[in-house]
């Protein structure tokens, strides 16, 4: 049986693929991750996670056109599948459910100080 749950890093990368659209290739995803989270990430971690998400059926990829900026090398472009969208929705719904059960947030009386 395929794993259908998302880890936090997987969830963030899957969301970034959706945000980047036609620009969703490994280096750009890594760059966007660092920009959005203010955390460093290795390109190897991004590659292996995107591959794992593809194996789970949450992403599809295809080779883009060769570009002069990459010395004629082609980029692997990722897109979210319907299964990936469902996994993101399930993850979001679960987190919203947890947040709504947190008494301070449910009542609007947040006081961490």
């Amino acid at each position: 049986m395929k794993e259908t749950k998302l880890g936090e890093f997987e969830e963030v990368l899957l969301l970034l693929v959706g945000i980047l659209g036609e620009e969703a290739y490994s280096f750009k995803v890594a760059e966007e991750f660092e920009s959005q989270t203010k955390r460093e990430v290795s390109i190897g971690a991004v590659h292996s996670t995107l591959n794992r998400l593809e194996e789970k059926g949450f992403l599809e990829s295809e080779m883009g056109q060769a570009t002069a900026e990459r010395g004629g090398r082609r980029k692997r472009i990722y897109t979210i599948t319907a299964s990936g969208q469902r996994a993101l929705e399930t993850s979001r719904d679960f987190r919203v459910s947890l947040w709504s059960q947190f008494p301070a947030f449910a009542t609007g009386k947040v006081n961490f100080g």
Side-chain angles (χ1 to χ4, degrees):
M1 183 166 124
K2 280 189 182 177
E3 175 65 39
T4 58
K5 299 214 184 295
L6 293 170
E8 179 187 7
F9 188 62
E10 290 176 325
E11 181 179 359
V12 171
L13 291 193
L14 198 54
L15 286 165
L16 291 174
V17 168
I19 290 167
L20 291 169
E22 294 179 7
E23 290 294 309
Y25 55 94
S26 297
F27 180 78
K28 191 71 167 178
V29 171
E31 192 175 69
E32 190 66 18
F33 177 88
E34 291 184 355
S35 172
Q36 294 274 357
T37 66
K38 308 298 185 240
R39 294 175 12 210
E40 290 184 13
V41 66
S42 73
I43 194 68
V46 171
H47 274 292
S48 63
T49 302
L50 291 173
N51 288 337
R52 185 170 58 253
L53 289 167
E54 191 168 18
E55 288 170 7
K56 289 181 176 184
F58 297 155
L59 290 176
E60 293 177 335
S61 69
E62 61 182 38
M63 295 304 290
Q65 297 298 316
T67 60
E69 70 190 32
R70 292 175 45 87
R73 293 192 337 255
R74 298 166 53 188
K75 300 173 188 170
R76 179 168 296 282
I77 308 296
Y78 293 89
T79 56
I80 299 177
T81 63
S83 180
Q85 289 180 352
R86 283 192 301 277
L88 282 173
E89 290 169 359
T90 299
S91 182
R92 178 203 58 209
D93 293 348
F94 175 67
R95 289 177 189 266
V96 168
S97 172
L98 290 176
W99 280 102
S100 68
Q101 294 174 61
F102 190 134
F105 288 105
T107 63
K109 297 179 182 176
V110 180
N111 183 7
F112 292 111

